[in-house]
Amino acid sequence: MESVQGRCDKLQGAGGVIPRGRLRVWFIRVCSSIVVWTCLVQLVTVSEIWKSHFFLGITSRIHHTTQHPLQTQNELVQPPPTFLPAKDLAFQICDMVAIARLLNLTLVVPELDKKSFWADPSNFEDIFDVRHFIDSLQDEVRIVKRVPKRFSRKSGDTTLKMPPVSWSSEKYYLEQILPLFSKHKVVHFNKTDARLANNGLPLDLQKLRCRVNYQALKFAPELENLGQKLIRILSKNGPFVALHLRYEMDMLAFSGCTLGCTKEEAVELKRMRYAFPSWREKEIVSEERRSQGLCPLTPEESALILQALGFDREASIYIAAGEIYGGERRLAQLRAAFPRIVKKETLLANDELQQFQNHSSQMAALDFIVSVASNTFVPTYYGNMAKLVEGHRRYSGFKKSILLDRKKLVELLDMHQNGTLPWNEFANTVRQVHEKRMGQPTRRRVEVDKPKEEDYFYANPYECLCEGTKCDDLLGAPNSSHMR
């Protein structure tokens, strides 16, 4: 108001001919305009904050403390509870616990960094049992729900925000990260995906990652109970298959895969790709991407592959996925081949799912629980959820997970569909290609100087599956590692 009044006085001194009534009206209009614009700015700010709550990722804060001496505890006990697959969330949490333990620091319960694509306002406690998470790891690392007040700006401490280098060894954290705590008492890792190496880490650190993965990360009771209800319903009819049909809109837009889509759908997917600056590739040739084995199988292709693998028409198939792009039109061929296809939406009442609607991570958690428990797991795209489920099933006794060789399958599918490969030969070849891709015991693939191309630790945590010389008996000699 002082700036407005100052401006009015200036106008009067400059000309001195504005009537008092008009000046009053003008003054009121200016003040009103300022109030309106101030409200608009505030609304925009609030909307940005609200908008940020619709995106899911994870950030972690680790702060220095000397008040909690750590004990070494590497035992793994009892069968593991299920945990969240939502993209790479679980990878990140396990790695942050391991890093905090390595550096003898305190970990703050991870925040869900609302900046990735998936619209979801969930918080950590909406997905996981926070108390169980903290208590089950208390002999390994101190975990607190929030940064203590003594580490605040008022006390002179500053928080360093940074993304660690991807696929780093313990040497990086000990030599480059740990010294930062002498200046910054709190380090906020604002990117935590794939920040710890797959291979070459000490055995106790690898086993801690497993302990977090399979024991500490337990779903919130509401999710766990509903997931177990889905399993009971499915099991009533005997063995069932979990088909992770990764044919959702976001996947197709990101990958640029449009086989079977209409021209309008292809345009829509491209428009979506351009709407997200963080998605680097914009102009993608779908045919090239598919020939490289980088596209998820379509529902139509999935029907043929399941038939070729020998699944009976009466097989119970649970579709572990979000909304299929193209809806029932795209599911028609798959449903015709396997009439007993179900989804969580068809097995549960609307009121049972209502609290999880618009929470993609929580809905994915339900699919994850069912996928881990299924008699056979078949992912049509080898993304993070597929890797997590694969690792969980290995840990649970090498349960059957058919890891599809999409590049080879595309060749076979095209030959069969153009009439050059009869059905019997097609089916026999599909089965032969996948004889050693059923989730059997094997060592992780190591790519020297190419950690990004290695097999993920969480897909095959073999250090946690056997002990000592038994590993060689189970997995074969070291360095005979090329599985895929």
Side-chain angles (χ1 to χ4, degrees):
M1 291 300 291
E2 290 180 357
S3 62
V4 175
Q5 185 62 54
R7 185 175 181 184
C8 291
D9 292 342
K10 196 172 183 178
L11 282 171
Q12 286 179 311
V17 295
I18 302 177
R20 182 177 297 272
R22 289 180 59 191
L23 182 61
R24 183 178 300 161
V25 172
W26 183 88
F27 177 78
I28 293 172
R29 287 178 177 174
V30 171
C31 292
S32 300
S33 297
I34 290 175
V35 171
V36 170
W37 280 106
T38 301
C39 292
L40 285 174
V41 170
Q42 292 296 325
L43 284 172
V44 170
T45 302
V46 172
S47 70
E48 288 300 312
I49 295 173
W50 175 252
K51 181 180 179 181
S52 72
H53 280 269
F54 280 84
F55 297 93
L56 178 64
I58 181 174
T59 62
S60 292
R61 288 183 176 86
I62 301 177
H63 67 83
H64 184 270
T65 180
T66 58
Q67 298 179 359
H68 185 76
L70 299 176
Q71 302 173 355
T72 301
Q73 175 69 26
N74 295 322
E75 285 188 33
L76 297 173
V77 294
Q78 299 306 317
T82 53
F83 66 101
L84 179 68
K87 316 310 175 224
D88 54 1
L89 178 57
F91 294 148
Q92 303 174 48
I93 296 170
C94 299
D95 286 358
M96 291 303 104
V97 172
I99 292 167
R101 176 65 182 87
L102 173 68
L103 303 182
N104 198 15
L105 301 174
T106 297
L107 176 71
V108 181
V109 168
E111 298 174 354
L112 302 190
D113 178 24
K114 325 287 182 172
K115 293 182 181 178
S116 61
F117 167 79
W118 295 274
D120 191 335
S122 300
N123 293 313
F124 188 92
E125 60 270 19
D126 297 322
I127 302 167
F128 298 113
D129 186 331
V130 180
R131 180 44 54 191
H132 176 82
F133 175 66
I134 295 173
D135 290 347
S136 63
L137 295 170
Q138 62 182 346
D139 60 338
E140 289 280 7
V141 62
R142 184 171 185 246
I143 304 174
V144 296
K145 290 186 177 181
R146 59 189 62 86
V147 178
K149 291 182 179 180
R150 66 179 182 273
F151 297 104
S152 64
R153 290 183 179 178
K154 292 182 180 180
S155 63
D157 293 320
T158 58
T159 297
L160 173 64
K161 294 184 179 182
M162 62 168 292
V165 176
S166 300
W167 292 284
S168 295
S169 68
E170 86 265 38
K171 182 179 179 180
Y172 164 76
Y173 287 99
L174 288 169
E175 295 182 0
Q176 298 188 43
I177 297 299
L178 186 57
L180 296 174
F181 285 90
S182 61
K183 181 178 180 181
H184 307 277
K185 299 302 181 183
V186 180
V187 176
H188 182 184
F189 290 156
N190 50 19
K191 287 187 179 180
T192 53
D193 54 311
R195 304 292 150 164
L196 199 56
N198 292 305
N199 298 290
L201 295 177
L203 181 61
D204 63 336
L205 210 60
Q206 297 288 59
K207 288 198 170 186
L208 175 58
R209 294 167 93 179
C210 288
R211 183 176 175 185
V212 181
N213 203 358
Y214 303 121
Q215 295 171 26
L217 284 175
K218 183 178 180 181
F219 279 130
E222 297 82 4
L223 286 169
E224 186 66 36
N225 292 338
L226 197 56
Q228 293 302 321
K229 180 175 181 178
L230 282 168
I231 294 169
R232 289 194 297 272
I233 294 172
L234 287 161
S235 299
K236 287 180 180 179
N237 296 319
F240 68 93
V241 179
L243 177 66
H244 184 41
L245 189 60
R246 192 69 171 92
Y247 204 77
E248 298 117 328
M249 185 178 183
D250 67 295
M251 182 69 221
L252 301 180
F254 179 79
S255 63
C257 300
T258 58
L259 180 67
C261 296
T262 65
K263 291 182 179 179
E264 293 75 16
E265 288 173 334
V267 170
E268 181 181 38
L269 293 172
K270 184 175 182 179
R271 188 183 301 119
M272 182 181 189
R273 188 159 61 247
Y274 270 92
F276 291 89
S278 60
W279 293 2
R280 296 180 181 179
E281 290 188 88
K282 304 301 182 185
E283 296 295 326
I284 300 175
V285 179
S286 177
E287 293 77 11
E288 292 180 2
R289 185 61 57 91
R290 179 174 175 268
S291 67
Q292 296 167 352
L294 300 177
C295 287
L297 293 184
T298 67
E300 296 85 357
E301 291 173 330
S302 300
L304 290 172
I305 296 305
L306 290 176
Q307 288 175 314
L309 287 169
F311 288 99
D312 187 81
R313 174 179 170 81
E314 297 304 314
S316 294
I317 297 180
Y318 175 88
I319 295 183
E323 184 177 355
I324 302 302
Y325 192 60
E328 284 299 319
R329 174 179 65 85
R330 294 306 302 270
L331 286 174
Q333 185 173 328
L334 180 60
R335 196 177 294 281
F338 299 97
R340 294 176 63 182
I341 284 181
V342 294
K343 299 186 292 184
K344 54 186 172 295
E345 291 83 358
T346 59
L347 294 176
L348 299 173
N350 290 335
D351 60 339
E352 292 179 293
L353 279 176
Q354 186 174 4
Q355 63 177 313
F356 306 115
Q357 295 292 346
N358 301 319
H359 296 78
S360 59
S361 60
Q362 296 180 50
M363 294 289 274
L366 296 174
D367 286 336
F368 179 83
I369 293 171
V370 174
S371 296
V372 168
S374 64
N375 299 88
T376 306
F377 174 63
V378 185
T380 62
Y381 184 82
Y382 196 56
N384 284 339
M385 175 168 170
K387 294 169 186 174
L388 285 166
V389 172
E390 176 192 354
H392 221 295
R393 293 172 66 83
R394 287 181 185 275
Y395 190 84
S396 301
F398 300 100
K399 297 167 70 175
K400 188 174 182 179
S401 302
I402 305 179
L403 309 174
L404 300 177
D405 184 341
R406 294 189 311 280
K407 186 174 182 180
K408 184 63 177 179
L409 287 178
V410 165
E411 297 176 9
L412 297 174
L413 284 162
D414 288 347
M415 292 172 62
H416 172 63
Q417 291 178 324
N418 66 23
T420 60
L421 186 65
W423 173 257
N424 287 341
E425 293 182 30
F426 169 75
N428 288 335
T429 306
V430 168
R431 288 193 289 269
Q432 290 172 8
V433 167
H434 294 91
E435 284 180 353
K436 297 182 178 180
R437 300 177 65 90
M438 300 285 180
Q440 300 98 325
T442 183
R443 292 186 183 273
R444 284 192 305 277
R445 184 181 66 240
V446 177
E447 298 286 349
V448 179
D449 299 324
K450 295 181 180 179
K452 188 176 181 180
E453 298 178 20
E454 295 178 339
D455 290 333
Y456 274 99
F457 170 81
Y458 296 102
N460 184 16
Y462 67 75
E463 294 94 330
C464 308
L465 308 178
C466 53
E467 295 289 343
T469 56
K470 293 181 180 180
C471 286
D472 292 341
D473 296 337
L474 183 66
L475 306 171
N479 300 322
S480 58
S481 56
H482 286 270
M483 183 186 102
R484 304 188 206 291

